[in-house]
Amino acid sequence: MTRDLFALSVLLGLVAPILAGLSPIHGEVPPLPAGIVVAWGRNNAGQTAVPIDLTDATAIAAGATHSAALRVDGTVVAWGANESGQTNVPPWLSGVTAVAAGQGYTIALKSDGSVVSWGYNVYGANRVPSTLKSIRAIAAGYDFALAVNEDGTVSQWGHHTNVPPNLSNVTSVSAGNAHSLALTHDGVVVAWGDNTFNQTNVPKGLGRVLAIAAGGAHSAALTADGTVVAWGENSSGQTSIPLDLDGVIAIAAGQAFTTALKFDGTIAAWGVSYAGQTNVPAIHGATAWACFDKTDREKGVLR
């Protein structure tokens, strides 16, 4: 199957508590101002053309060919492709605390625990179940979405809705092309869905995990000692962790690449880079970012 050469990474420059007081490393670009979004990769639909008036972002999400950002006032702005209305943010939407983007659709989590979705409804991915309430976290995959309920269980709608029975104590979720990851309160990773490339075969002994990221057909986890573990498809080196990688505080994954945010605010990236998605700009002071990569099947990420 042929590949549509698109990739997107979005980086948000914020001065978070973990980076507060850090000075720029000598010879590097000064830290980004708080709330500034920087994007790189393919721009065939304007997905990396960040609105010039977006200077107050607090969270971001990258979809197949569109991007979204949460502003400090709880509203959402979106840009890029809009063939399915994925960037038509409902004018009444407010009080948002998190955003996620998938294949032609966008979802938002509000402060009251409700979820709002708009755009393409492939397999019912943006048809939010009416029973959802008191949601704590969300994730968007290719054609399905995930939500962490108040009681620590997981709800899933759209395609690939086979959540493992008895899954509980979940704190966060991540969605790939056709597989899902959940992180429990005790640092354990649970995976389900397509396992063609062993992307749901969580390495034995993996524990003390702080964060998870589901790529197209690979998975990654950040452990408490700042190291990254990855498994699944490795056709482009997306699970080949750089040997000198350390000091990682967050991770994100695209279709066939993986990225890591380091304590000093820099980003490391590895894997496929046909559209420059791993060519991280010379920036400093980042605290959040998101990745997305498009092929015949797109992957929603996270972060």
Side-chain angles (χ1 to χ4, degrees):
M1 302 177 74
T2 59
R3 287 176 178 251
D4 184 352
L5 301 184
F6 161 76
L8 170 68
S9 295
V10 181
L11 181 144
L12 174 63
L14 289 175
V15 182
I18 195 168
L19 295 177
L22 289 182
S23 299
I25 296 176
H26 180 69
E28 293 191 351
V29 177
L32 294 169
I36 297 297
V37 176
V38 177
W40 61 95
R42 194 175 184 187
N43 194 38
N44 60 308
Q47 61 269 45
T48 63
V50 182
I52 59 175
D53 61 344
L54 180 58
T55 59
D56 59 348
T58 61
I60 48 178
T65 52
H66 76 290
S67 305
L70 172 62
R71 310 187 87 147
V72 69
D73 63 358
T75 61
V76 175
V77 60
W79 63 96
N82 195 39
E83 75 283 352
S84 300
Q86 61 265 48
T87 64
N88 291 342
V89 181
W92 47 263
L93 184 62
S94 63
V96 176
T97 59
V99 289
Q103 159 56 21
Y105 72 98
T106 310
I107 58 178
L109 173 61
K110 299 187 62 177
S111 57
D112 63 2
S114 62
V115 177
V116 178
S117 181
W118 62 95
Y120 190 41
N121 197 32
V122 58
Y123 292 106
N126 78 349
R127 190 178 300 124
V128 181
S130 58
T131 55
L132 284 188
K133 62 179 181 179
S134 301
I135 299 303
R136 292 182 173 179
I138 54 175
Y142 170 71
D143 51 14
F144 65 99
L146 301 169
V148 178
N149 299 302
E150 185 177 32
D151 62 0
T153 60
V154 174
S155 293
Q156 185 170 343
W157 62 97
H159 208 189
H160 312 294
T161 56
N162 52 332
V163 179
N166 302 318
L167 178 60
S168 60
N169 296 318
V170 174
T171 58
S172 64
V173 286
S174 186
N177 269 356
H179 78 288
S180 302
L181 301 178
L183 178 62
T184 66
H185 181 73
D186 54 359
V188 172
V189 178
V190 178
W192 66 96
D194 179 48
N195 196 36
T196 302
F197 296 96
N198 297 315
Q199 60 265 51
T200 64
N201 289 349
V202 180
K204 292 183 179 179
L206 179 63
R208 301 182 66 218
V209 174
L210 300 180
I212 50 176
H218 73 287
S219 305
L222 171 64
T223 63
D225 63 0
T227 60
V228 177
V229 178
W231 62 96
E233 184 180 12
N234 195 38
S235 58
S236 299
Q238 59 266 51
T239 65
S240 299
I241 313 298
L243 296 178
D244 59 348
L245 183 65
D246 60 9
V248 176
I249 60 173
I251 54 174
Q255 175 69 25
F257 66 101
T258 310
T259 59
L261 176 63
K262 300 183 66 175
F263 182 81
D264 62 3
T266 60
I267 290 178
W270 59 96
V272 71
S273 193
Y274 51 77
Q277 59 268 52
T278 62
N279 296 337
V280 183
I283 47 183
H284 178 72
T287 61
W289 79 113
C291 305
F292 206 106
D293 189 10
K294 180 178 183 293
T295 62
D296 307 294
R297 294 177 59 81
E298 284 109 316
K299 183 267 160 194
V301 148
L302 81 119
R303 295 247 52 130

Short mmCIF file of all heavy atoms in Angstrom, two decimals, residues 17-73:
data_model
loop_
_atom_site.label_atom_id
_atom_site.label_comp_id
_atom_site.label_asym_id
_atom_site.label_seq_id
_atom_site.Cartn_x
_atom_site.Cartn_y
_atom_site.Cartn_z
N PRO A 17 6.30 24.22 35.93
CA PRO A 17 7.05 24.16 37.19
C PRO A 17 8.32 23.33 37.09
O PRO A 17 9.34 23.69 37.67
CB PRO A 17 6.04 23.51 38.15
CG PRO A 17 4.71 23.93 37.61
CD PRO A 17 4.87 23.91 36.11
N ILE A 18 8.29 22.24 36.33
CA ILE A 18 9.46 21.38 36.27
C ILE A 18 10.63 22.05 35.55
O ILE A 18 11.77 21.69 35.72
CB ILE A 18 9.11 20.04 35.57
CG1 ILE A 18 10.21 19.01 35.83
CG2 ILE A 18 8.90 20.22 34.07
CD1 ILE A 18 9.82 17.62 35.46
N LEU A 19 10.32 23.08 34.74
CA LEU A 19 11.37 23.79 34.02
C LEU A 19 11.59 25.19 34.56
O LEU A 19 12.44 25.92 34.06
CB LEU A 19 11.02 23.88 32.53
CG LEU A 19 10.96 22.54 31.78
CD1 LEU A 19 10.54 22.76 30.35
CD2 LEU A 19 12.31 21.85 31.82
N ALA A 20 10.82 25.60 35.51
CA ALA A 20 10.93 26.96 36.03
C ALA A 20 12.32 27.24 36.56
O ALA A 20 12.90 26.44 37.30
CB ALA A 20 9.91 27.18 37.14
N GLY A 21 12.87 28.38 36.17
CA GLY A 21 14.17 28.79 36.66
C GLY A 21 15.34 28.26 35.87
O GLY A 21 16.48 28.64 36.11
N LEU A 22 15.10 27.38 34.89
CA LEU A 22 16.20 26.86 34.09
C LEU A 22 16.69 27.94 33.12
O LEU A 22 15.90 28.64 32.51
CB LEU A 22 15.75 25.64 33.27
CG LEU A 22 15.49 24.37 34.08
CD1 LEU A 22 15.10 23.26 33.13
CD2 LEU A 22 16.74 23.98 34.85
N SER A 23 17.97 28.06 32.96
CA SER A 23 18.54 29.01 32.02
C SER A 23 18.85 28.31 30.71
O SER A 23 19.09 27.10 30.68
CB SER A 23 19.85 29.59 32.59
OG SER A 23 19.60 30.27 33.80
N PRO A 24 18.84 29.06 29.59
CA PRO A 24 19.16 28.45 28.30
C PRO A 24 20.57 27.88 28.32
O PRO A 24 21.48 28.45 28.92
CB PRO A 24 19.07 29.63 27.33
CG PRO A 24 18.31 30.69 28.04
CD PRO A 24 18.55 30.48 29.49
N ILE A 25 20.74 26.75 27.68
CA ILE A 25 22.07 26.17 27.58
C ILE A 25 22.91 27.05 26.67
O ILE A 25 22.44 27.54 25.66
CB ILE A 25 21.99 24.73 27.02
CG1 ILE A 25 21.22 23.85 28.01
CG2 ILE A 25 23.37 24.16 26.75
CD1 ILE A 25 21.00 22.46 27.52
N HIS A 26 24.15 27.26 27.02
CA HIS A 26 25.02 28.16 26.26
C HIS A 26 25.06 27.76 24.80
O HIS A 26 25.27 26.61 24.46
CB HIS A 26 26.43 28.12 26.83
CG HIS A 26 27.40 29.01 26.10
ND1 HIS A 26 27.31 30.38 26.15
CD2 HIS A 26 28.44 28.72 25.28
CE1 HIS A 26 28.27 30.91 25.40
NE2 HIS A 26 28.96 29.91 24.86
N GLY A 27 24.83 28.73 23.91
CA GLY A 27 24.90 28.48 22.48
C GLY A 27 23.59 28.04 21.88
O GLY A 27 23.47 27.89 20.66
N GLU A 28 22.56 27.80 22.69
CA GLU A 28 21.27 27.37 22.18
C GLU A 28 20.32 28.54 22.06
O GLU A 28 20.54 29.61 22.62
CB GLU A 28 20.65 26.29 23.09
CG GLU A 28 21.41 24.99 23.07
CD GLU A 28 20.65 23.89 23.76
OE1 GLU A 28 19.61 24.19 24.39
OE2 GLU A 28 21.07 22.74 23.69
N VAL A 29 19.24 28.31 21.34
CA VAL A 29 18.21 29.32 21.19
C VAL A 29 17.54 29.53 22.54
O VAL A 29 17.29 28.58 23.27
CB VAL A 29 17.17 28.85 20.16
CG1 VAL A 29 16.04 29.86 20.03
CG2 VAL A 29 17.85 28.64 18.81
N PRO A 30 17.22 30.77 22.94
CA PRO A 30 16.56 31.02 24.22
C PRO A 30 15.23 30.28 24.30
O PRO A 30 14.63 29.93 23.28
CB PRO A 30 16.35 32.54 24.20
CG PRO A 30 17.40 33.05 23.28
CD PRO A 30 17.53 31.99 22.21
N PRO A 31 14.74 30.05 25.51
CA PRO A 31 13.47 29.34 25.68
C PRO A 31 12.33 30.06 24.97
O PRO A 31 12.32 31.28 24.84
CB PRO A 31 13.26 29.35 27.20
CG PRO A 31 14.63 29.48 27.76
CD PRO A 31 15.36 30.37 26.80
N LEU A 32 11.35 29.28 24.51
CA LEU A 32 10.18 29.85 23.87
C LEU A 32 9.33 30.60 24.88
O LEU A 32 9.25 30.20 26.04
CB LEU A 32 9.33 28.73 23.25
CG LEU A 32 9.93 27.96 22.09
CD1 LEU A 32 9.05 26.74 21.80
CD2 LEU A 32 10.04 28.83 20.87
N PRO A 33 8.67 31.66 24.46
CA PRO A 33 7.74 32.35 25.36
C PRO A 33 6.60 31.40 25.72
O PRO A 33 6.24 30.50 24.96
CB PRO A 33 7.24 33.52 24.51
CG PRO A 33 8.29 33.70 23.46
CD PRO A 33 8.80 32.33 23.16
N ALA A 34 6.02 31.58 26.88
CA ALA A 34 4.92 30.73 27.32
C ALA A 34 3.76 30.81 26.34
O ALA A 34 3.38 31.88 25.88
CB ALA A 34 4.46 31.15 28.71
N GLY A 35 3.18 29.65 26.03
CA GLY A 35 1.98 29.60 25.20
C GLY A 35 2.20 29.62 23.71
O GLY A 35 1.24 29.62 22.94
N ILE A 36 3.45 29.62 23.25
CA ILE A 36 3.74 29.65 21.82
C ILE A 36 3.79 28.22 21.27
O ILE A 36 4.37 27.33 21.87
CB ILE A 36 5.09 30.35 21.55
CG1 ILE A 36 5.02 31.81 21.99
CG2 ILE A 36 5.47 30.25 20.07
CD1 ILE A 36 4.00 32.64 21.24
N VAL A 37 3.20 28.01 20.10
CA VAL A 37 3.19 26.70 19.45
C VAL A 37 4.08 26.74 18.22
O VAL A 37 4.00 27.68 17.41
CB VAL A 37 1.76 26.30 19.03
CG1 VAL A 37 1.79 24.98 18.27
CG2 VAL A 37 0.86 26.18 20.26
N VAL A 38 4.94 25.75 18.07
CA VAL A 38 5.81 25.61 16.91
C VAL A 38 5.49 24.27 16.26
O VAL A 38 5.32 23.26 16.95
CB VAL A 38 7.30 25.64 17.33
CG1 VAL A 38 8.20 25.43 16.11
CG2 VAL A 38 7.62 26.97 18.00
N ALA A 39 5.40 24.24 14.93
CA ALA A 39 5.06 23.00 14.23
C ALA A 39 6.02 22.74 13.09
O ALA A 39 6.55 23.68 12.48
CB ALA A 39 3.63 23.08 13.70
N TRP A 40 6.26 21.46 12.79
CA TRP A 40 7.12 21.11 11.66
C TRP A 40 6.64 19.80 11.06
O TRP A 40 5.84 19.07 11.62
CB TRP A 40 8.58 21.01 12.10
CG TRP A 40 8.89 19.98 13.14
CD1 TRP A 40 9.34 18.71 12.92
CD2 TRP A 40 8.79 20.13 14.56
NE1 TRP A 40 9.53 18.06 14.12
CE2 TRP A 40 9.21 18.91 15.14
CE3 TRP A 40 8.40 21.18 15.40
CZ2 TRP A 40 9.23 18.71 16.52
CZ3 TRP A 40 8.42 20.98 16.75
CH2 TRP A 40 8.84 19.76 17.31
N GLY A 41 7.11 19.50 9.84
CA GLY A 41 6.65 18.34 9.10
C GLY A 41 5.90 18.79 7.86
O GLY A 41 5.99 19.95 7.46
N ARG A 42 5.18 17.92 7.24
CA ARG A 42 4.46 18.27 6.02
C ARG A 42 3.35 19.27 6.31
O ARG A 42 2.70 19.21 7.34
CB ARG A 42 3.88 17.01 5.36
CG ARG A 42 3.41 17.27 3.94
CD ARG A 42 2.95 16.01 3.25
NE ARG A 42 2.61 16.31 1.86
CZ ARG A 42 2.05 15.44 1.05
NH1 ARG A 42 1.75 14.23 1.47
NH2 ARG A 42 1.77 15.77 -0.20
N ASN A 43 3.11 20.16 5.34
CA ASN A 43 2.12 21.21 5.52
C ASN A 43 1.16 21.27 4.34
O ASN A 43 0.70 22.34 3.94
CB ASN A 43 2.83 22.56 5.69
CG ASN A 43 1.90 23.64 6.22
OD1 ASN A 43 1.05 23.38 7.06
ND2 ASN A 43 2.06 24.85 5.71
N ASN A 44 0.82 20.11 3.79
CA ASN A 44 -0.02 20.07 2.60
C ASN A 44 -1.43 20.59 2.83
O ASN A 44 -2.10 21.03 1.89
CB ASN A 44 -0.10 18.63 2.07
CG ASN A 44 -0.70 17.67 3.07
OD1 ASN A 44 -0.26 17.60 4.21
ND2 ASN A 44 -1.71 16.92 2.66
N ALA A 45 -1.90 20.58 4.06
CA ALA A 45 -3.24 21.06 4.36
C ALA A 45 -3.22 22.22 5.35
O ALA A 45 -4.24 22.58 5.92
CB ALA A 45 -4.11 19.92 4.91
N GLY A 46 -2.04 22.80 5.55
CA GLY A 46 -1.94 23.91 6.49
C GLY A 46 -1.86 23.47 7.93
O GLY A 46 -1.99 24.29 8.84
N GLN A 47 -1.59 22.19 8.16
CA GLN A 47 -1.60 21.67 9.52
C GLN A 47 -0.43 22.15 10.38
O GLN A 47 -0.49 22.09 11.61
CB GLN A 47 -1.66 20.13 9.51
CG GLN A 47 -0.48 19.44 8.84
CD GLN A 47 -0.71 19.17 7.37
OE1 GLN A 47 -1.18 20.02 6.64
NE2 GLN A 47 -0.39 17.96 6.94
N THR A 48 0.64 22.62 9.74
CA THR A 48 1.75 23.16 10.52
C THR A 48 1.81 24.68 10.45
O THR A 48 2.75 25.30 10.96
CB THR A 48 3.11 22.58 10.03
OG1 THR A 48 3.34 22.97 8.68
CG2 THR A 48 3.12 21.07 10.15
N ALA A 49 0.80 25.29 9.84
CA ALA A 49 0.72 26.76 9.75
C ALA A 49 -0.02 27.27 10.98
O ALA A 49 -1.23 27.54 10.95
CB ALA A 49 0.02 27.19 8.48
N VAL A 50 0.69 27.40 12.08
CA VAL A 50 0.09 27.81 13.35
C VAL A 50 -0.48 29.23 13.23
O VAL A 50 0.20 30.13 12.72
CB VAL A 50 1.14 27.77 14.48
CG1 VAL A 50 0.50 28.17 15.81
CG2 VAL A 50 1.77 26.39 14.57
N PRO A 51 -1.72 29.45 13.67
CA PRO A 51 -2.31 30.80 13.62
C PRO A 51 -1.40 31.81 14.34
O PRO A 51 -0.92 31.54 15.44
CB PRO A 51 -3.64 30.62 14.36
CG PRO A 51 -3.98 29.17 14.15
CD PRO A 51 -2.66 28.46 14.20
N ILE A 52 -1.20 32.96 13.70
CA ILE A 52 -0.26 33.93 14.27
C ILE A 52 -0.76 34.54 15.58
O ILE A 52 0.03 35.06 16.36
CB ILE A 52 0.03 35.06 13.25
CG1 ILE A 52 -1.26 35.78 12.85
CG2 ILE A 52 0.72 34.50 12.03
CD1 ILE A 52 -1.02 36.97 11.94
N ASP A 53 -2.06 34.48 15.80
CA ASP A 53 -2.60 35.06 17.03
C ASP A 53 -2.68 34.05 18.17
O ASP A 53 -3.19 34.36 19.24
CB ASP A 53 -3.97 35.67 16.79
CG ASP A 53 -5.00 34.64 16.32
OD1 ASP A 53 -4.59 33.54 15.90
OD2 ASP A 53 -6.20 34.95 16.38
N LEU A 54 -2.17 32.83 17.95
CA LEU A 54 -2.18 31.82 19.00
C LEU A 54 -0.94 31.99 19.87
O LEU A 54 0.15 31.53 19.53
CB LEU A 54 -2.22 30.42 18.40
CG LEU A 54 -2.23 29.25 19.40
CD1 LEU A 54 -3.40 29.35 20.35
CD2 LEU A 54 -2.23 27.92 18.65
N THR A 55 -1.10 32.66 20.98
CA THR A 55 0.03 32.94 21.87
C THR A 55 -0.26 32.55 23.32
O THR A 55 0.53 32.88 24.21
CB THR A 55 0.38 34.44 21.83
OG1 THR A 55 -0.77 35.20 22.24
CG2 THR A 55 0.80 34.87 20.43
N ASP A 56 -1.38 31.85 23.53
CA ASP A 56 -1.78 31.52 24.90
C ASP A 56 -2.20 30.06 25.03
O ASP A 56 -3.12 29.73 25.76
CB ASP A 56 -2.91 32.44 25.35
CG ASP A 56 -4.14 32.34 24.46
OD1 ASP A 56 -4.05 31.73 23.37
OD2 ASP A 56 -5.20 32.87 24.85
N ALA A 57 -1.52 29.17 24.31
CA ALA A 57 -1.87 27.75 24.34
C ALA A 57 -1.40 27.09 25.62
O ALA A 57 -0.34 27.42 26.17
CB ALA A 57 -1.27 27.04 23.14
N THR A 58 -2.19 26.15 26.11
CA THR A 58 -1.81 25.37 27.29
C THR A 58 -1.73 23.88 27.02
O THR A 58 -1.16 23.13 27.81
CB THR A 58 -2.83 25.59 28.44
OG1 THR A 58 -4.12 25.14 28.02
CG2 THR A 58 -2.90 27.06 28.82
N ALA A 59 -2.29 23.42 25.89
CA ALA A 59 -2.24 22.02 25.50
C ALA A 59 -2.45 21.95 24.00
O ALA A 59 -3.02 22.86 23.39
CB ALA A 59 -3.30 21.19 26.23
N ILE A 60 -1.99 20.87 23.38
CA ILE A 60 -2.06 20.73 21.93
C ILE A 60 -2.42 19.31 21.53
O ILE A 60 -2.27 18.36 22.31
CB ILE A 60 -0.72 21.10 21.28
CG1 ILE A 60 0.43 20.42 22.01
CG2 ILE A 60 -0.52 22.60 21.22
CD1 ILE A 60 1.80 20.68 21.43
N ALA A 61 -2.86 19.15 20.27
CA ALA A 61 -3.16 17.83 19.72
C ALA A 61 -2.93 17.87 18.22
O ALA A 61 -3.21 18.88 17.57
CB ALA A 61 -4.61 17.43 20.01
N ALA A 62 -2.39 16.79 17.66
CA ALA A 62 -2.14 16.69 16.24
C ALA A 62 -2.96 15.56 15.64
O ALA A 62 -2.88 14.42 16.09
CB ALA A 62 -0.65 16.44 15.98
N GLY A 63 -3.76 15.90 14.63
CA GLY A 63 -4.57 14.91 13.94
C GLY A 63 -3.92 14.50 12.64
O GLY A 63 -2.76 14.83 12.38
N ALA A 64 -4.65 13.79 11.79
CA ALA A 64 -4.08 13.30 10.54
C ALA A 64 -3.57 14.44 9.68
O ALA A 64 -2.41 14.45 9.25
CB ALA A 64 -5.14 12.50 9.77
N THR A 65 -4.41 15.43 9.41
CA THR A 65 -4.00 16.59 8.62
C THR A 65 -4.53 17.87 9.25
O THR A 65 -4.76 18.87 8.56
CB THR A 65 -4.53 16.48 7.18
OG1 THR A 65 -5.93 16.22 7.19
CG2 THR A 65 -3.82 15.37 6.42
N HIS A 66 -4.71 17.85 10.55
CA HIS A 66 -5.14 19.07 11.24
C HIS A 66 -4.53 19.11 12.64
O HIS A 66 -4.01 18.11 13.14
CB HIS A 66 -6.66 19.17 11.31
CG HIS A 66 -7.33 18.28 12.32
ND1 HIS A 66 -7.39 16.91 12.18
CD2 HIS A 66 -7.96 18.57 13.49
CE1 HIS A 66 -8.04 16.40 13.21
NE2 HIS A 66 -8.39 17.38 14.02
N SER A 67 -4.56 20.27 13.24
CA SER A 67 -4.00 20.47 14.57
C SER A 67 -5.00 21.23 15.43
O SER A 67 -5.87 21.94 14.92
CB SER A 67 -2.70 21.27 14.49
OG SER A 67 -1.77 20.66 13.62
N ALA A 68 -4.86 21.10 16.74
CA ALA A 68 -5.75 21.80 17.67
C ALA A 68 -4.97 22.23 18.89
O ALA A 68 -3.97 21.59 19.26
CB ALA A 68 -6.92 20.90 18.08
N ALA A 69 -5.41 23.31 19.50
CA ALA A 69 -4.76 23.81 20.71
C ALA A 69 -5.79 24.28 21.71
O ALA A 69 -6.84 24.83 21.33
CB ALA A 69 -3.80 24.95 20.36
N LEU A 70 -5.51 24.05 22.96
CA LEU A 70 -6.35 24.53 24.05
C LEU A 70 -5.78 25.84 24.54
O LEU A 70 -4.58 25.92 24.83
CB LEU A 70 -6.38 23.49 25.17
CG LEU A 70 -7.07 23.89 26.48
CD1 LEU A 70 -8.54 24.18 26.24
CD2 LEU A 70 -6.89 22.79 27.53
N ARG A 71 -6.61 26.86 24.63
CA ARG A 71 -6.15 28.16 25.08
C ARG A 71 -6.35 28.30 26.59
O ARG A 71 -7.09 27.55 27.22
CB ARG A 71 -6.88 29.27 24.33
CG ARG A 71 -6.86 29.10 22.84
CD ARG A 71 -7.42 30.28 22.10
NE ARG A 71 -6.39 31.28 21.86
CZ ARG A 71 -6.36 32.06 20.78
NH1 ARG A 71 -7.30 31.97 19.86
NH2 ARG A 71 -5.40 32.94 20.63
N VAL A 72 -5.68 29.28 27.15
CA VAL A 72 -5.71 29.47 28.60
C VAL A 72 -7.11 29.77 29.12
O VAL A 72 -7.43 29.50 30.28
CB VAL A 72 -4.73 30.60 29.00
CG1 VAL A 72 -5.23 31.95 28.53
CG2 VAL A 72 -4.47 30.59 30.50
N ASP A 73 -8.00 30.28 28.26
CA ASP A 73 -9.35 30.60 28.70
C ASP A 73 -10.31 29.42 28.56
O ASP A 73 -11.51 29.56 28.76
CB ASP A 73 -9.89 31.81 27.93
CG ASP A 73 -10.03 31.56 26.43
OD1 ASP A 73 -9.65 30.46 25.97
OD2 ASP A 73 -10.50 32.47 25.72
#
